[in-house]
Amino acid sequence: IGTPTPVNKLDVQGGIAIGAGYAGIKIAPTDGAIIKGNVIIGQQKIITGPHINNKLSVDGKIVAKEVYVTISGWADYVFAKDYKLLSLPEVEKYIIENNHLPDVPSEKEIMKNGNNLGFTDVILLKKVEELTLYMIQLQKENKEMKALLEKITK
């Protein structure tokens, strides 16, 4: 289509518009495609858990140089004055009882629902920021202990 010298069973030069309502409309990118509806790549559509009506379903690996995931918030609230940072004994108790960190999905949840990359990035950043706050607290305690030790040993 659009080429006098096709090489494959279907060669298209120019943009493609697929789906009801696109006939005769010049909406597709010059050398790309616009598709109304869902796209399945591979042998089967992935239809487990909450993934039944995804716009793109890939039954196989995906390789990309960059991936952007849009999200509705970031974890900088951890640094707010009113943020309640759990004590390390509270974190330890939670880990012993649940076998994973607080606010982090369990392996069972991930295996059932998949891994939402944007959500997971926010959680991981939150944990890094919490670790930073713990380190700052420990550094302050260490400095106080050093000062006390110097006082005692003089």
Side-chain angles (χ1 to χ4, degrees), residues 20-124:
Y22 288 144
I25 299 174
K26 294 184 178 184
I27 193 170
T30 306
D31 284 323
I34 185 166
I35 300 169
K36 185 174 185 176
N38 299 346
V39 176
I40 301 167
I41 300 173
Q43 297 296 316
Q44 63 186 24
K45 182 176 181 179
I46 301 166
I47 55 168
T48 60
H51 310 294
I52 292 173
N53 291 315
N54 289 334
K55 290 292 180 190
L56 175 63
S57 180
V58 179
D59 183 19
K61 297 178 182 178
I62 298 173
V63 177
K65 289 188 179 189
E66 293 183 18
V67 175
Y68 289 88
V69 178
T70 57
I71 54 175
S72 60
W74 204 233
D76 286 347
Y77 59 86
V78 169
F79 297 128
K81 299 260 186 245
D82 61 346
Y83 181 74
K84 174 150 177 14
L85 183 66
L86 294 176
S87 69
L88 287 175
E90 290 172 311
V91 173
E92 180 184 29
K93 181 178 187 262
Y94 185 92
I95 291 170
I96 290 168
E97 292 173 358
N98 298 283
N99 208 31
H100 63 90
L101 288 170
D103 303 322
V104 176
S106 67
E107 178 183 11
K108 184 178 179 182
E109 291 173 294
I110 294 294
M111 297 309 291
K112 178 182 176 189
N113 300 319
N115 182 12
N116 178 327
L117 296 178
F119 178 74
T120 301
D121 276 356
V122 172
I123 291 172
L124 293 175

